[in-house]
Amino acid sequence: MFSKSCEYAIKIMAFIAFKQAKSKELVGLDLISEAIDSPRAFTAKILQQLTKARLLKSTRGRTGGFFLDKSQNINLADIVKAIDGPKLFEDCLLGFDKCQDDNPCVLHYQLKKERNTLKNKLLSTDIYTIAKRVNRQKAYFKE
Amino acid sequence: MFSKSCEYAIKIMAFIAFKQAKSKELVGLDLISEAIDSPRAFTAKILQQLTKARLLKSTRGRTGGFFLDKSQNINLADIVKAIDGPKLFEDCLLGFDKCQDDNPCVLHYQLKKERNTLKNKLLSTDIYTIAKRVNRQKAYFKE
DNA sequence: CTAAATAAAGATATTAATATCCTTTTATCT
DNA sequence: AGATAAAAGGATATTAATATCTTTATTTAG
Ligand code: FES
Ligand code: FES
């Protein structure tokens, strides 16, 4: 459903939102990759992508790290689009050039409603909602 | 959502079901790969997988080809499982070892219902239903 | 029986996703 | 100012998915 990168991205955003609900301190790469149990260097790349996509803010330097702009409302669809692109929402399920009501593929009308429901759920779920769920054992720091 | 292989597989099954609704003749690799506009050799591999998974029957030799056992009821979930495995239905969306109600990830309860709806739709849609939709331009033979 | 046509199988090639490594830039601390 | 610690960026490595090529096995037509 989601790429590995996207899975990490969702975990990252959830973890940072979770952390920042408690304190305003910046969250650093090391803490993040340990918390979500992901490879450090690869996680750095995803953090870069999220920052470029303006879903995260960052500051460099000795006390640098990542943080969220609290005034910004971010939902799951934003994250998925930033990392995997819009294909989950827009592309034809069978790989045809365009997904369209006229000239539909054999799955189009079969799954249109289900896809839309999924899309709407992702659009309507913001990161602070999922941050409240941060308690999975073995990841998200046992504290 | 589905792998490229799985996309081809669904097209293959839809096309064969469509063809066999009209005539009982076997359907060959060449006809299939032209019809669904897929690379011939790769399509052959997927046909092999589908045959091994018992979703298709085949006969070799000069008049050989592929065909469906009409007494067998095949749905979309069968095809997806045969090619992509059960991960879409069973795996944790964030890549954790197991998807379980206790020890859920941050997406588990958010998307559980939507995943189930999708799964049930795939389970309840059989290939003859989608075969009726075979008319996408540029693929599935303009005839 | 032989040639032809087909699916099956195995080996290899290419491409994209995942992951690591090394260097550069930026900010802070002493 | 210089050392340190952090993110950013670029280059490379590894792995998995996609795709092709070649050979083998099977069946039928002639
Ligand atoms: S045309 Fe294939 S999903 Fe819409
Ligand atoms: S535990 Fe992650 S989807 Fe169920």
Side-chain angles (χ1 to χ4, degrees):
Chain A
M1 178 105 84
F2 309 120
S3 72
K4 204 87 191 124
S5 294
C6 190
E7 292 177 6
Y8 291 142
I10 293 168
K11 288 181 187 177
I12 287 168
M13 295 297 285
F15 179 68
I16 296 177
F18 167 76
K19 271 294 184 190
Q20 298 216 323
K22 302 195 161 182
S23 94
K24 303 301 165 197
E25 282 173 32
L26 304 201
V27 189
L29 168 61
D30 285 330
L31 181 57
I32 293 168
S33 73
E34 279 168 37
I36 72 173
D37 192 30
S38 61
R40 195 189 122 99
F42 193 54
T43 305
K45 291 300 183 192
I46 294 159
L47 283 162
Q48 275 183 45
Q49 291 182 67
L50 290 169
T51 305
K52 277 197 176 173
R54 314 256 178 205
L55 301 184
L56 272 182
K57 308 285 175 194
S58 69
T59 60
R60 294 185 179 190
R62 188 154 186 166
T63 58
F66 299 89
F67 62 101
L68 291 163
D69 174 358
K70 279 268 194 172
S71 70
Q72 193 183 357
N73 233 357
I74 298 174
N75 59 51
L76 285 171
D78 292 326
I79 303 172
V80 174
K81 274 185 195 165
I83 306 298
D84 286 345
K87 61 175 185 289
L88 181 63
F89 307 113
E90 295 176 10
D91 282 14
C92 169
L93 291 165
L94 295 185
F96 286 113
D97 40 332
K98 279 182 186 168
C99 174
Q100 44 198 175
D101 281 346
D102 50 335
N103 201 19
C105 73
V106 293
L107 293 190
H108 184 83
Y109 285 112
Q110 290 298 320
L111 295 183
K112 186 173 180 176
K113 198 175 70 188
E114 288 73 14
R115 279 185 89 182
N116 252 303
T117 306
L118 175 64
K119 179 179 179 176
N120 288 332
K121 187 72 182 184
L122 294 174
L123 279 168
S124 65
T125 307
D126 79 72
I127 50 171
Y128 293 105
T129 303
I130 63 168
K132 289 179 194 150
R133 307 282 193 181
V134 169
N135 59 2
R136 170 103 193 186
Q137 290 150 31
K138 291 188 70 175
Y140 302 122
F141 259 176
K142 323 93 205 170
E143 52 179 350
Chain B
M1 176 108 82
F2 309 119
S3 71
K4 205 86 190 123
S5 295
C6 190
E7 292 177 6
Y8 291 143
I10 293 168
K11 288 181 185 177
I12 287 168
M13 295 298 284
F15 179 67
I16 296 177
F18 167 75
K19 271 294 185 189
Q20 298 216 323
K22 301 193 162 186
S23 93
K24 303 301 165 199
E25 283 173 31
L26 304 201
V27 189
L29 168 61
D30 286 328
L31 181 56
I32 294 168
S33 73
E34 279 168 38
I36 72 173
D37 193 29
S38 62
R40 194 189 123 99
F42 193 55
T43 306
K45 289 301 185 192
I46 295 159
L47 283 162
Q48 276 182 44
Q49 290 183 67
L50 290 169
T51 305
K52 275 196 177 174
R54 313 259 179 202
L55 300 184
L56 273 181
K57 308 288 175 189
S58 70
T59 60
R60 294 187 178 188
R62 188 151 186 166
T63 58
F66 298 89
F67 62 101
L68 291 163
D69 175 357
K70 280 269 194 170
S71 70
Q72 194 184 354
N73 234 357
I74 297 174
N75 59 51
L76 286 170
D78 293 325
I79 302 172
V80 174
K81 274 185 195 167
I83 305 298
D84 287 344
K87 62 175 184 291
L88 181 64
F89 308 113
E90 296 176 11
D91 282 13
C92 169
L93 290 165
L94 294 186
F96 286 114
D97 41 332
K98 278 182 188 171
C99 173
Q100 44 199 175
D101 281 346
D102 50 335
N103 201 21
C105 73
V106 292
L107 293 190
H108 184 84
Y109 286 113
Q110 289 297 322
L111 295 183
K112 185 173 182 178
K113 198 174 68 185
E114 287 73 14
R115 280 186 89 182
N116 251 303
T117 306
L118 175 64
K119 179 178 179 177
N120 287 332
K121 188 72 181 181
L122 293 175
L123 279 168
S124 64
T125 306
D126 76 71
I127 50 171
Y128 294 106
T129 303
I130 62 168
K132 289 179 194 149
R133 308 280 194 183
V134 168
N135 59 0
R136 171 104 192 182
Q137 291 149 30
K138 291 188 69 176
Y140 302 123
F141 258 177
K142 323 92 206 175
E143 53 177 352

